[in-house]
Amino acid sequence: LGPLLGNCGIILNLSRTFPPKFSHRHFSTNNNRKTNASLETVLKRTITPIPTLLFFPISSFPFSMSSSSSSLPTPSGFSVLVSAATFKFNLAHFVAYKGFRERLHGHNYKLSIELFGPHISSDGYVLDFGVVKTVCKSVCKSLNEHVIIPRKSDVLDVRDLEGKDDHVIVTCEDGCVFVFPKGDCYFAEIAHSTVEEISLMLYGRIMEGLGV
């Protein structure tokens, strides 16, 4: 798989959804005898996809097709889109940079991956997408229900507190201090826990898992 993907391209899609929000609407009816007022609370799930595309180009792009009446079309490349219900995770984070820090909050993330190859193998496949599914599922599982800690941040001081119960102390530029159980943290070699940098991290981990 590694040598094959070495000549391939890849698109990685990562989207997140925001937590449920409450919307309040007030309805009033006046029939000249009395006024009936009621408060309706509507639970709305706000879903805002934020796709991040990472493309590792191959020389044969863009795809071109040539065909004749006596033969099948001859593509210059093939693509395989791999997605599964297990390609998801939830993660707590806050973005911080000079002069700014978000409140601690979380998102639900969903991952899909599209791989490109210049040819298909003798079995008729571009690649064994079962391997891709295994790797992506493992990566998502390792992040699920964790607080992501960006190791390369220039505004966060991250220290491990060794002891009976290991904890991580995160001191922010504004003086705010977070203490997390070490087992609840995912340490990432990124500067900001944005969806863009998380995508870059995922790209590296998936490529490593695929042996590329």
Side-chain angles (χ1 to χ4, degrees):
L1 182 63
L4 175 61
L5 284 179
N7 295 320
C8 294
I10 180 171
I11 289 180
L12 181 72
N13 299 303
L14 181 66
S15 62
R16 71 183 187 185
T17 61
F18 291 89
K21 294 183 178 180
F22 285 95
S23 175
H24 302 278
R25 287 187 282 180
H26 183 267
F27 297 90
S28 178
T29 301
N30 191 340
N31 57 10
N32 296 324
R33 289 181 298 177
K34 62 180 179 179
T35 300
N36 298 319
S38 63
L39 180 67
E40 180 185 84
T41 303
V42 181
L43 178 62
K44 293 183 178 180
R45 184 164 183 78
T46 305
I47 302 178
T48 306
I50 306 177
T52 299
L53 305 180
L54 300 178
F55 174 57
F56 188 83
I58 59 177
S59 58
S60 60
F61 280 2
F63 291 154
S64 62
M65 300 286 286
S66 62
S67 63
S68 66
S69 59
S70 61
S71 64
L72 292 173
T74 303
S76 59
F78 299 84
S79 67
V80 176
L81 176 63
V82 184
S83 180
T86 53
F87 291 8
K88 63 182 180 180
F89 56 92
N90 57 69
L91 202 63
H93 85 131
F94 60 90
V95 175
Y97 50 84
K98 290 287 186 181
F100 174 82
R101 177 183 66 81
E102 287 184 322
R103 295 172 67 94
L104 181 66
H105 63 285
H107 298 286
N108 299 317
Y109 296 83
K110 186 176 181 180
L111 175 72
S112 65
I113 184 169
E114 187 171 1
L115 300 110
F116 299 86
H119 56 78
I120 57 176
S121 58
S122 59
D123 58 9
Y125 293 101
V126 176
L127 76 162
D128 183 356
F129 59 83
V131 177
V132 179
K133 290 178 68 175
T134 299
V135 171
C136 290
K137 179 180 178 181
S138 175
V139 170
C140 289
K141 185 177 180 180
S142 68
L143 271 73
N144 192 44
E145 297 183 349
H146 283 77
V147 181
I148 188 167
I149 307 295
R151 285 285 199 185
K152 294 185 177 181
S153 171
D154 60 352
V155 294
L156 301 179
D157 178 45
V158 181
R159 298 184 183 182
D160 295 346
L161 182 62
E162 302 292 344
K164 182 178 179 181
D165 298 314
D166 291 346
H167 287 78
V168 176
I169 300 178
V170 180
T171 304
C172 305
E173 182 189 42
D174 61 2
C176 189
V177 178
F178 295 94
V179 181
F180 301 111
K182 193 171 184 179
D184 290 358
C185 297
Y186 181 89
F187 300 96
E189 296 303 317
I190 57 178
H192 312 92
S193 57
T194 59
V195 68
E196 292 85 355
E197 293 196 30
I198 293 173
S199 295
L200 287 169
M201 176 195 69
L202 291 174
Y203 173 83
R205 287 202 56 191
I206 291 171
M207 291 296 97
E208 181 183 7
L210 294 175
V212 178

